[in-house]
C-alpha cells in the first residue's frame, strides 16, 4: 500500500491529533490496538488540556513510547515513559527522533516497583496495559500514592461490555480465547474496583463502536507491519474481533481522582 493510501485509510475523524502522526511510524511501533487513538479518546476525560505545560505525567506501560511522545508534543508535559519489556535505550532513540528528548525520560519499570516518591506526578496514564497488573485488589492504592492530591489516573484497555456469567468463554469466542482475556472486565466492574481502591471515580464508560476501530487497525497492521510476529498477532486480532463484532469486546475508559 502506498504511503498516501495508508494515511488516508488511517485518518480518523474522531482522532484528529493522532491523524497528524506518520502512519508507518505508528504501525512500526504498535504493540496492540492503536495506542494514540485510545489516548486521544482518554484525553478529555482525564483533563489533559487543563494540565499546565511541564506538568509531570507517568506513562505506565508505555511500550515503544508512542503515547509518551504524544503527551509531550501535544500537551507539553514532562513524561516518564515507563515500561518493563522495551529497553529504555531503544525508546530513547525514538523519543529523540521525535524531538522531545527534553520532555520524555524512558525508564525500565515493573508496575509493582515504581521508583518514585509519594506525590510525584500530576497525572498517571496507562494505555492498553493496566489490565495486565491492575486487577489485583491492592494495586490501585500503591500507584495512586504517586499522585499529588487531586491528581488523576486515567486508563484505557480492552474490555467486556458486560461481565461473563460462569467460568467458560462465550461459544462464539472459544476458538480465539486466550487465558489473558480473563483480565478483561466491564466498565461497571472497573468502577466498583476503583471505588474500593479509594479513588473518586469520575469516568468509567464504554467506547461506542470501539471494536470497529480495533478491527480497522488490526487489518492494516496485518497487511503492513514490517515484523512477521506483529503481523501474525494482528491477524489473530482480526479473527477475534470479526467473530465478536461488538457483541462483547471493545474498550473501556476509566478515570479516577486521588482524594
Amino acid at each position: 500500500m502506498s504511503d498516501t493510501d495508508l494515511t488516508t485509510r488511517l485518518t480518523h475523524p474522531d482522532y484528529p491529533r493522532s491523524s497528524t502522526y506518520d502512519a508507518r511510524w505508528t504501525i512500526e511501533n504498535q504493540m496492540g490496538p492503536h495506542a494514540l487513538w485510545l489516548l486521544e479518546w482518554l484525553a478529555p476525560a482525564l483533563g489533559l488540556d487543563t494540565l499546565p505545560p511541564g506538568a509531570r505525567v507517568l506513562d505506565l506501560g508505555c511500550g515503544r513510547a508512542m503515547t509518551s511522545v504524544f503527551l509531550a508534543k501535544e500537551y507539553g508535559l514532562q513524561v516518564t515513559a515507563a515500561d518493563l519489556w522495551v529497553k529504555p535505550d531503544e525508546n530513547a532513540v525514538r523519543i529523540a527522533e521525535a524531538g522531545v528528548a527534553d520532555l520524555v525520560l524512558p525508564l525500565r519499570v515493573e508496575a509493582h516497583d515504581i521508583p518514585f516518591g509519594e506525590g510525584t506526578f500530576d497525572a498517571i496514564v496507562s494505555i492498553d496495559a493496566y489490565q495486565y497488573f491492575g486487577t489485583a485488589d491492592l494495586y490501585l492504592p500503591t500507584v495512586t500514592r504517586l499522585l499529588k492530591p487531586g491528581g488523576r489516573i486515567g486508563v484505557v484497555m480492552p474490555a467486556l461490555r458486560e461481565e461473563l456469567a460462569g467460568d467458560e468463554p462465550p461459544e462464539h469466542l472459544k476458538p480465539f480465547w486466550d487465558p489473558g482475556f480473563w483480565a478483561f472486565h466491564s466498565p461497571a466492574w472497573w468502577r466498583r474496583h476503583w471505588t474500593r481502591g479509594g479513588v473518586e471515580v469520575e469516568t468509567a464508560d464504554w467506547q461506542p463502536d470501539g471494536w470497529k476501530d480495533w478491527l480497522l487497525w488490526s487489518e492494516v497492521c496485518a497487511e503492513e507491519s514490517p515484523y512477521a510476529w506483529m503481523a501474525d498477532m494482528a491477524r489473530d486480532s482480526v479473527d477475534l474481533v470479526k467473530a465478536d463484532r461488538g457483541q462483547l469486546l471493545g474498550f473501556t475508559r476509566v478515570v479516577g481522582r486521588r482524594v
Side-chain angles (χ1 to χ4, degrees):
M1 188 184 308
S2 71
D3 288 350
T4 299
D5 289 344
L6 183 62
T7 298
T8 299
R9 193 169 177 188
L10 291 178
T11 297
H12 197 302
D14 291 340
Y15 314 115
R17 294 191 182 202
S18 301
S19 296
T20 66
Y21 287 75
D22 181 76
R24 293 216 179 269
W25 180 78
T26 61
I27 292 171
E28 289 169 3
N29 293 300
Q30 65 96 16
M31 297 182 71
H34 198 311
L36 299 190
W37 288 355
L38 298 179
L39 178 54
E40 193 162 353
W41 179 50
L42 174 65
L46 187 56
L48 289 180
D49 278 324
T50 68
L51 292 176
R56 297 191 66 180
V57 176
L58 174 63
D59 187 2
L60 186 57
C62 69
R64 292 193 170 106
M66 284 200 299
T67 48
S68 301
V69 168
F70 187 92
L71 290 165
K73 293 187 77 167
E74 299 301 319
Y75 302 100
L77 302 172
Q78 193 81 35
V79 184
T80 298
D83 198 82
L84 178 62
W85 303 113
V86 181
K87 295 178 181 179
D89 287 350
E90 296 174 2
N91 274 343
V93 173
R94 273 183 288 275
I95 291 163
E97 289 175 346
V100 289
D102 58 328
L103 290 175
V104 182
L105 174 66
L107 293 178
R108 172 164 279 172
V109 171
E110 204 284 321
H112 297 84
D113 187 22
I114 303 173
F116 293 95
E118 184 168 347
T120 296
F121 296 102
D122 297 285
I124 297 172
V125 169
S126 186
I127 302 298
D128 186 28
Y130 193 83
Q131 71 274 15
Y132 295 120
F133 44 79
T135 57
D137 290 342
L138 301 181
Y139 182 73
L140 185 64
T142 70
V143 70
T144 52
R145 71 175 184 83
L146 303 176
L147 287 169
K148 297 175 183 177
R152 290 181 172 90
I153 177 171
V155 306
V156 178
M157 56 210 152
L160 306 178
R161 189 183 293 274
E162 301 289 345
E163 288 298 298
L164 295 175
D167 298 324
E168 295 289 330
E171 286 296 327
H172 72 286
L173 292 180
K174 278 186 176 180
F176 315 100
W177 196 261
D178 181 273
F181 296 167
W182 291 113
F184 297 173
H185 290 286
S186 67
W189 187 94
W190 283 108
R191 178 180 291 277
R192 185 178 66 172
H193 186 59
W194 277 27
T195 299
R196 290 174 170 178
V199 300
E200 179 184 331
V201 179
E202 297 181 335
T203 301
D205 59 0
W206 180 259
Q207 186 178 39
D209 292 331
W211 71 272
K212 294 180 180 179
D213 293 345
W214 194 352
L215 179 58
L216 168 62
W217 174 245
S218 298
E219 288 175 336
V220 171
C221 290
E223 297 170 12
E224 299 294 326
S225 176
Y227 309 111
W229 68 273
M230 191 64 73
D232 288 343
M233 186 174 73
R235 280 188 282 272
D236 289 343
S237 293
V238 169
D239 293 341
L240 172 72
V241 179
K242 277 188 173 180
D244 185 67
R245 301 197 67 83
Q247 295 179 62
L248 183 66
L249 298 172
F251 298 100
T252 186
R253 169 178 63 179
V254 190
V255 175
R257 186 174 66 89
R258 181 183 180 185
V259 294

